[in-house]
Every structure is written in structure tokens, then in C-alpha cells.
Amino acid sequence: QVQLVESGGGLVQAGGSLRLSCVASGNIVSVNVMGWYRQHPGKQRELVASITSGGISDYVESVKDRFTITRINPKNTVYMQMNSLKPEDSAVYYCNADITTGISWLRTTSVYWGQGTQVTVSS
């Protein structure tokens, strides 16, 4: 069983900063791509940032130069530092990871999600 546990959401004023954290635990062989998605009320979930196990990151245009995604591979942890927050960044943020589990002759790669953490930016 694999779990992704997020932390770090909250309420902040416009221009402020927050850091989201997500730890993957369980019967993990490897954690491949990790990422953060967000969902605004009534809208589809969108990819905000992702990072490969080799450290290659990518961002949606609206957060470039404001958000930074990093990871610590031995700890199966991903972070997202969010600076210069805007009211339109308010959403539920979800951690996402592509994880390989199992034993040598029976391995499975699946996508896992965290429970979500609320980020609210007041104007």
C-alpha cells in the first residue's frame, strides 16, 4: 500500500509565500515523476509543476518564476515553494506521483494521489 501525505497549505495574503510538502511511503521500489496539481472550484484539475527523478522540472506558464518544485529522492519527498502568491492561486493542491511497487518478478507502476491541501490567497 502506498500513501502520499501532503502538508503546508493554508491562508496567506497576496504576495506572500507557502511551501507544500508531500511524502510517499509504503512498499516503494522507485518514485518516478512527482508533481503538484491544483483544482479550482468547478474546474478540472490542472498540472502546476512536475519533476523527474533526475531533477528535470516543468511548470505551467502562470507559475513560472514564482513556484519552485524540488525533491529529495532518498526520502521520497517533493516540495513546492510558492512565492509571490496571487488570489488566483487559491485552490486545492494535490500531490501526484508515478510509483513502482512490488518485488523483483512482480512490479507494478501506478499513479498515486495525495488527499489535497487547501491554499487560500487573500487580496
Side-chain angles (χ1 to χ4, degrees):
Q1 195 78 2
V2 172
Q3 279 192 317
L4 299 183
V5 178
E6 302 147 344
S7 60
L11 172 64
V12 66
Q13 287 188 332
S17 299
L18 285 172
R19 188 174 85 151
L20 304 182
S21 303
C22 173
V23 181
S25 62
N27 182 27
I28 295 172
V29 173
S30 63
V31 181
N32 309 309
V33 178
M34 302 186 83
W36 290 95
Y37 285 69
R38 67 186 178 188
Q39 189 166 22
H40 296 97
K43 295 192 175 181
Q44 286 191 335
R45 202 170 291 187
E46 66 169 349
L47 177 62
V48 178
S50 63
I51 186 167
T52 67
S53 58
I56 297 173
S57 58
D58 195 18
Y59 301 88
V60 68
E61 190 65 33
S62 60
V63 308
K64 282 182 179 178
D65 300 324
R66 298 189 299 122
F67 292 9
T68 303
I69 188 170
T70 56
R71 64 188 284 174
I72 300 177
N73 288 334
K75 295 186 177 182
N76 295 331
T77 300
V78 64
Y79 303 97
M80 187 161 70
Q81 178 68 39
M82 305 185 295
N83 298 328
S84 302
L85 283 161
K86 303 176 181 180
E88 51 264 41
D89 293 319
S90 297
V92 178
Y93 284 72
Y94 296 90
C95 178
N96 168 281
D98 185 78
I99 296 175
T100 300
T101 60
I103 51 180
S104 60
W105 62 87
L106 189 61
R107 291 183 175 176
T108 303
T109 298
S110 302
V111 174
Y112 295 86
W113 293 91
Q115 78 282 3
T117 184
Q118 177 71 49
V119 171
T120 303
V121 185
S122 63
S123 57

